[in-house]
């Protein structure tokens, strides 16, 4: 039986009405990443990746799949490998140029990282066209213009998980350590719908990029009755065939672009079609208009039941007060004057046999309406997803017996996972008078169970507040007046702009502190330091005094050369350099430790790939590299100490390199410092000659040390190359 009476209305509740020859839902990231890896390996012509995030560090394969794969698992390595081995393959990466809200959670220098890791036929752009407060939230990957992945999943951190969602998992390891179980849904499709996605991704690319992408491949088979494409992922057979579908978008008002709220209109129209059961799983449920529509439909259809699965615990104050507080209102509107046996807003959690508890984080955006429609998309049931973010939802219609059965299979499969049941148990539960109540009761202990949400344990119902205004707005946070008397939304500040502003702020702060110190701290001057050191000469406190001066001077970025000359002038050409190098080493170690703590706190991430490359060279050169930097003072002494701490070099290597780099010149400085003192006391040809000789010796030591360091480094690299060649011969033998 075929039903062509779908509700798709292009220009109203959808962008286009189309058809997919084959569709397979991909539940949870372990499956999605595996399918994506398979399709990328098969790609021959083009790959477009549009995402909220595209993180270069993500491993697409795990376990035996990773061990047995000939292709790299890490997504940046995989795309680089594909591009290098297929020069005619064009790869386009379009990632949201994220706002300040996600500044610390994502790769800081995404564009530079990808450009550093991939060849020229991989192009990367950051989308900064989204209005302030909104985000680029579409998640689309088009391969060879014959296959498309779409839904709720990004190639991002803290996403990977398997369908069993173990309470603890070593593989669920993110930047901040192990994260909780996470559930998500994507889909892979082929057929005519791919041509529509191919147009969409190219339109998105041309909005921000100067280069034209490759044209849509004429040979791509997107005909109505085309076969399964060659790029279809292994191990994921389609469950929908020749299914009617529609693409619904949210497009905010941006730079002469006509806004679209097709997602919002489509969801309301779908709710109006429900007769028996609506199933929703969604990351956020805050849009009151949706709650009102559900409540209205349940009152109009007494046999209609609604079950919603979302997350349990909010992450941070903003999420708590913007989304969880709003969910209290959503739930209240949803349930008003409705029999509680007919409707439940729930979360999925598990307590294993060891008593360990886990709450499943829901990131998916799925909706089923009876056996008529299935939505798999990127949009949350939130204000921002309806108006301000860019979104794309795919709506599949049950236009045949096969596809109606597939819709029910997806719904039953998801609810079986969330309730710890077998999928074969589900039809009997839905045959009950109150299926929602039946789902909640009789769940198996020590497995995942659904529980009704009680958000009052996290927050109280609140009126519109600043958290909601910033995190779940309907309109851009800032609008600028236009020449025609209207208003244009301000864009989110670009990541590069944020980085420059932070850099300027840090420099200004350091400069201001140094200026304040020079004006306010009376003893922070060459004369005061000389007088302070002079008092300690000939006492037991001489060395501690020198050490204290070096440590305080290092923290306050006082020039080390001035300190070294002062110490040499006061303590002479022998004890002066000895005291000086001890003070320099102690100051270096303390500032190194400060840098280490700062790096661990995130400054290493701020540096970006160029700093990482410099860091790697410094680590490889080790003692010799540090000595070379110390011999030629190309950066302030204190800054070198801090940067070394942020880098990957070891403290012992750093201090040894510092000793070899500073002690020879310090001996020369000792002669210079002592000569300057003698000139003031007894100016003569002899004392002036000592001064000139000391300066010449200083220059010669720098020149000679550089020569020696270069010679040592070249020999070291030669020995390493010889060893590698020797090992290769042994392996060949």
């Amino acid at each position: 039986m075929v039903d062509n009476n779908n509700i798709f209305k292009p220009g109203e509740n959808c962008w286009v009405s189309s058809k997919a020859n084959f569709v397979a839902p991909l539940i949870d990231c372990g499956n999605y990443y595996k399918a994506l890896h398979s399709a990328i390996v098969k790609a021959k012509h083009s790959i477009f990746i549009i995402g909220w995030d595209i993180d270069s560090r993500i491993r697409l394969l795990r376990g035996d799949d990773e061990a047995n794969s000939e292709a790299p698992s890490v997504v940046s390595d995989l795309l680089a490998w594909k591009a290098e081995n297929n020069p005619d393959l064009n790869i386009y990466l379009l990632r949201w140029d994220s706002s300040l809200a996600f500044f610390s959670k994502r790769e800081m220098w995404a564009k530079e990282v990808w450009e550093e890791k991939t060849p020229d036929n991989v192009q990367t752009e950051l989308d900064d066209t989204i209005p302030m407060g909104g985000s680029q939230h579409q998640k689309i990957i088009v391969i060879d213009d014959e296959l498309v992945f779409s839904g709720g999943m990004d190639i991002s951190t803290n996403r990977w998980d398997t369908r069993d969602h173990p309470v603890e998992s070593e593989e669920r390891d993110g930047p901040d350590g192990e994260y909780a179980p996470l559930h998500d849904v994507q889909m892979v499709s082929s057929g005519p719908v791919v041509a529509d996605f191919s147009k969409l991704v190219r339109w998105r690319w041309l909005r921000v990029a100067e280069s034209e992408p490759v044209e849509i491949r004429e040979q791509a088979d997107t005909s109505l009755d085309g076969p399964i494409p060659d790029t279809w992922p292994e191990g994921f057979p389609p469950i929908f065939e020749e299914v009617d579908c529609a693409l619904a978008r949210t497009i905010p008002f941006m730079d002469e672009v006509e806004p679209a709220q097709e997602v919002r209109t489509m969801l309301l129209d779908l709710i109006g079609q429900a007769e028996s059961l609506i199933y929703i799983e969604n990351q956020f449920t805050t849009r009151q208009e949706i709650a009102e529509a559900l409540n209205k439909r349940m009152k109009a259809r007494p046999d209609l039941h609604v079950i919603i699965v979302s997350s349990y615990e909010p992450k941070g104050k903003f999420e708590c007060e913007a989304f969880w507080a709003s969910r209290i209102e959503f739930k209240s509107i949803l349930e008003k004057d409705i029999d509680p046996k007919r409707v439940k807003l729930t979360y999925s959690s598990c307590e294993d046999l060891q008593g360990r508890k886990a709450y499943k984080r829901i990131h998916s955006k799925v909706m089923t309406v009876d056996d008529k429609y299935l939505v798999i998309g990127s949009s949350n049931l939130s204000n921002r997803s309806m108006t301000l973010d860019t979104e794309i939802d795919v709506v599949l219609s049950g236009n045949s017996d096969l596809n109606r059965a597939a819709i029910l299979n997806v719904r039953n499969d998801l609810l079986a996972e969330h309730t710890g049941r077998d999928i074969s148990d589900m039809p009997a539960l839905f045959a009950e008078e109150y299926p929602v109540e039946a789902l909640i009761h009789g769940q198996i202990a020590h497995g995942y169970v659904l529980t009704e949400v009680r958000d009052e344990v996290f927050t109280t119902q609140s009126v519109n507040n600043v958290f909601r205004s910033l995190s779940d707005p309907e309109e851009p946070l800032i609008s600028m007046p236009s020449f025609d008397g209207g208003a244009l939304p301000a864009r989110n500040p670009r990541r590069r702009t944020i980085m420059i502003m932070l850099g300027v702020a840090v420099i200004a702060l350091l400069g201001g502190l140094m200026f304040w110190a020079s004006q306010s701290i009376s003893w922070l001057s060459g004369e005061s330091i000389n007088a302070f050191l002079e008092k300690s000469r000939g006492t037991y406190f001489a060395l501690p005094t020198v050490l204290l001066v070096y440590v305080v001077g290092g923290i306050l970025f006082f020039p080390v050369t001035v300190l070294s000359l002062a110490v040499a002038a006061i303590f002479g050409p022998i004890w002066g350099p000895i005291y000086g190098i001890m003070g320099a080493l102690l100051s270096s170690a303390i500032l190194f430790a400060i840098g280490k703590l700062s790096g661990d706190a995130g400054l290493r991430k701020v540096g970006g790939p160029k700093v990482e490359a410099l860091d790697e060279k410094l680590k490889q050169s080790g003692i010799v590299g540090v000595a070379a930097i110390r011999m030629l003072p190309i950066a302030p002494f204190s800054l070198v100490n801090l940067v070394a701490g942020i880098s990957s070099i070891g403290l012992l290597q750093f201090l040894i390199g510092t000793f070899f780099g500073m002690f020879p010149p310090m001996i020369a400085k000792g002669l210079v410092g002592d000569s300057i003192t003698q000139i003031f006391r007894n100016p003569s040809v002899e004392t002036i000659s000592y001064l000139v000789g000391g300066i010449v010796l200083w220059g010669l030591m720098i020149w000679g040390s550089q020569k020696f360091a270069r010679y040592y480094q070249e020999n070291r690299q030669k020995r390493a190359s010889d060893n590698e060649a020797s090992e290769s011969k042994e392996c060949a033998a």
Side-chain angles (χ1 to χ4, degrees):
M1 182 180 73
V2 177
D3 178 15
N4 292 317
N5 297 319
N6 63 51
I7 59 167
F8 304 152
K9 301 172 186 175
E12 296 182 25
N13 64 10
C14 63
W15 173 44
V16 291
S17 175
S18 187
K19 208 174 190 77
N21 290 351
F22 301 100
V23 176
L26 302 168
I27 302 175
D28 290 318
C29 234
N31 287 321
Y32 170 45
Y33 284 176
K34 182 178 178 180
L36 177 59
H37 186 278
S38 175
I40 289 175
V41 168
K42 295 179 178 183
K44 296 178 181 178
H45 306 284
S46 64
I47 299 173
F48 285 82
I49 302 180
I50 311 294
W52 182 86
D53 191 14
I54 311 172
D55 194 300
S56 70
R57 302 163 294 181
I58 301 304
R59 290 161 52 220
L60 298 182
L61 300 179
R62 311 291 169 105
D64 291 341
D65 292 325
E66 186 173 33
N68 298 328
S69 175
E70 295 181 0
S73 173
V74 175
V75 66
S76 55
D77 296 337
L78 176 64
L79 293 179
W81 173 78
K82 280 297 297 183
E84 288 165 358
N85 289 295
N86 300 270
D88 294 331
L89 175 68
N90 292 283
I91 301 175
Y92 303 90
L93 310 178
L94 181 62
R95 171 192 184 269
W96 179 40
D97 194 349
S98 55
S99 72
L100 196 59
F102 302 100
F103 192 67
S104 63
K105 297 181 181 180
R106 306 170 70 189
E107 280 188 305
M108 199 74 72
W109 298 88
K111 181 177 173 64
E112 289 79 1
V113 166
W114 279 102
E115 290 175 348
E116 186 86 13
K117 292 183 175 182
T118 56
D120 292 341
N121 51 335
V122 179
Q123 298 184 52
T124 305
E125 293 290 346
L126 302 180
D127 192 341
D128 66 340
T129 64
I130 312 302
M132 185 174 290
S135 72
Q136 193 309 97
H137 208 239
Q138 295 170 336
K139 301 98 166 38
I140 310 168
I141 299 179
V142 176
I143 295 181
D144 286 356
D145 291 316
E146 65 181 20
L147 188 80
V148 60
F149 294 92
S150 63
M153 293 197 225
D154 293 289
I155 304 174
S156 188
T157 58
N158 293 11
R159 295 284 193 269
W160 187 91
D161 204 357
T162 52
R163 290 215 61 185
D164 57 336
H165 302 290
V167 174
E168 294 180 0
S169 171
E170 292 181 358
E171 289 288 4
R172 287 202 307 260
D173 184 27
D176 300 321
E178 185 177 343
Y179 54 91
L182 186 128
H183 172 77
D184 213 333
V185 179
Q186 198 85 342
M187 61 188 288
V188 57
S189 312
S190 67
V193 71
V194 181
D196 299 311
F197 273 106
S198 293
K199 294 174 185 176
L200 179 60
V201 296
R202 284 166 171 81
W203 175 75
R204 291 295 312 279
W205 179 263
L206 285 171
R207 282 190 49 74
V208 298
E210 296 180 0
S211 62
E212 289 274 348
V214 293
E215 294 183 359
I216 296 176
R217 190 166 64 94
E218 294 181 1
Q219 294 81 7
D221 190 352
T222 57
S223 59
L224 184 58
D225 56 352
I228 293 181
D230 293 338
T231 50
W232 190 272
E234 298 290 337
F236 297 92
I239 68 169
F240 292 88
E241 294 184 13
E242 296 185 9
V243 58
D244 291 338
C245 60
L247 304 185
R249 308 165 302 168
T250 296
I251 303 292
F253 178 63
M254 21 176 218
D255 297 348
E256 302 177 357
V257 173
E258 186 70 26
Q261 294 184 8
E262 297 151 2
V263 167
R264 168 181 168 271
T265 306
M266 175 63 78
L267 292 177
L268 294 173
D269 287 349
L270 289 172
I271 292 168
Q273 295 291 306
E275 301 288 343
S276 175
L277 190 137
I278 293 177
Y279 170 62
I280 296 171
E281 56 180 50
N282 206 280
Q283 182 181 10
F284 300 127
T285 54
T286 63
R287 181 76 174 179
Q288 294 185 18
E289 182 182 31
I290 300 295
E292 290 166 356
L294 290 167
N295 180 271
K296 180 180 178 181
R297 187 63 180 175
M298 280 191 285
K299 288 176 178 175
R301 293 292 188 275
D303 293 330
L304 176 62
H305 306 265
V306 174
I307 184 163
I308 302 175
V309 180
S310 193
S311 299
Y312 170 69
E313 193 171 16
K315 292 183 177 180
K317 188 70 173 177
F318 271 88
E319 191 168 90
C320 182
E321 297 304 325
F323 294 102
W324 262 244
S326 297
R327 197 166 72 176
I328 295 175
E329 297 176 33
F330 184 97
K331 187 172 184 287
S332 175
I333 294 169
L334 174 69
E335 298 173 345
K336 187 177 181 182
D337 300 326
I338 300 294
D339 185 343
K341 294 180 180 179
R342 294 175 55 200
V343 58
K344 288 285 188 293
L345 179 53
T346 67
Y347 64 89
S348 184
S349 64
C350 174
E351 184 173 354
D352 65 13
L353 292 170
Q354 287 76 42
R356 298 174 301 179
K357 190 93 172 178
Y359 298 95
K360 191 188 300 180
R361 181 81 176 177
I362 302 297
H363 192 263
S364 49
K365 302 90 171 57
V366 171
M367 179 176 179
T368 67
V369 178
D370 304 328
D371 60 355
K372 300 176 184 177
Y373 298 100
L374 167 64
V375 181
I376 297 178
S378 67
S379 58
N380 293 305
L381 302 185
S382 61
N383 294 326
R384 60 184 308 118
S385 283
M386 301 298 128
T387 60
L388 193 56
D389 293 343
T390 58
E391 306 283 7
I392 184 74
D393 286 1
V394 178
V395 187
L396 304 178
S397 171
N399 62 317
S400 68
D401 292 339
L402 171 70
N403 293 329
R404 285 179 181 271
I407 291 172
L408 294 182
N409 183 74
V410 172
R411 180 197 70 188
N412 292 351
D413 191 16
L414 291 170
L415 277 167
E417 176 193 309
H418 297 320
T419 60
R421 292 185 171 95
D422 190 271
I423 191 171
S424 60
D425 300 330
M426 305 310 291
L429 295 174
F430 286 110
E432 296 277 345
E433 182 181 4
Y434 294 102
V436 173
E437 191 80 356
L439 282 166
I440 294 293
H441 294 294
Q443 300 179 85
I444 302 171
H446 306 304
Y448 275 95
V449 296
L450 284 181
T451 307
E452 190 170 2
V453 299
R454 292 283 183 262
D455 291 326
E456 291 82 2
V457 301
F458 300 110
T459 182
T460 56
Q461 187 172 5
S462 59
V463 189
N464 288 334
N465 54 48
V466 65
F467 299 102
R468 193 178 307 184
S469 300
L470 293 174
S471 293
D472 193 26
E474 291 189 69
E475 298 179 351
L477 297 182
I478 299 177
S479 294
M480 309 294 290
S482 60
F483 292 110
D484 60 1
L488 288 173
R491 297 179 177 183
N492 283 313
R494 299 183 65 185
R495 171 200 46 85
R496 189 180 296 275
T497 302
I498 295 172
M499 294 299 298
I500 292 173
M501 290 170 61
L502 284 176
V504 170
V506 170
I507 292 171
L509 179 62
L510 285 175
L513 286 173
M514 293 175 69
F515 178 78
W516 172 84
S518 65
Q519 298 298 311
S520 306
I521 304 176
S522 59
W523 48 265
L524 191 60
S525 66
E527 294 80 6
S528 299
I529 291 172
N530 279 339
F532 184 64
L533 291 170
E534 186 74 43
K535 291 179 181 178
S536 71
R537 187 170 64 171
T539 71
Y540 292 110
F541 302 105
L543 178 58
T545 301
V546 172
L547 297 179
L548 177 64
V549 167
Y550 267 94
V551 169
V552 174
I555 292 173
L556 296 176
F557 277 62
F558 195 81
V560 71
T561 299
V562 175
L563 289 179
S564 300
L565 289 172
V567 170
I570 293 168
F571 296 100
I574 296 176
W575 287 109
I578 293 174
Y579 286 174
I581 193 63
M582 293 174 72
L585 291 175
L586 179 60
S587 181
S588 297
I590 290 173
L591 286 170
F592 181 97
I594 295 173
K596 180 71 174 174
L597 293 173
S598 302
D600 292 342
L603 282 182
R604 190 179 289 111
K605 183 179 178 181
V606 173
K610 300 299 182 184
V611 170
E612 286 184 12
L614 182 62
D615 175 21
E616 186 61 30
K617 291 178 182 177
L618 181 63
K619 186 179 178 181
Q620 290 175 358
S621 61
I623 294 171
V624 175
V626 175
I629 293 172
R630 291 305 198 188
M631 291 167 196
L632 282 177
I634 56 175
F637 171 78
S638 299
L639 183 60
V640 171
N641 296 333
L642 287 171
V643 171
I646 295 169
S647 77
S648 303
I649 195 170
L651 175 61
L652 184 60
Q653 277 186 313
F654 178 66
L655 292 180
I656 294 173
T658 296
F659 177 82
F660 283 120
M662 292 191 70
F663 194 54
M666 202 168 277
I667 295 172
K669 291 177 189 177
L671 290 174
V672 172
D674 185 63
S675 300
I676 292 173
T677 304
Q678 296 301 326
I679 287 172
F680 278 107
R681 293 176 179 172
N682 181 27
S684 66
V685 174
E686 183 179 3
T687 55
I688 294 173
S689 299
Y690 278 131
L691 175 61
V692 173
I695 293 173
V696 171
L697 179 61
W698 189 348
L700 287 173
M701 281 192 165
I702 291 176
W703 178 80
S705 298
Q706 283 288 298
K707 281 284 192 181
F708 174 76
R710 193 175 295 112
Y711 170 78
Y712 181 90
Q713 190 66 25
E714 288 173 356
N715 276 357
R716 184 182 177 189
Q717 292 173 348
K718 186 175 182 300
R719 285 196 301 270
S721 299
D722 291 343
N723 289 337
E724 287 180 8
S726 177
E727 289 175 2
S728 298
K729 288 180 181 178
E730 289 177 6
C731 291

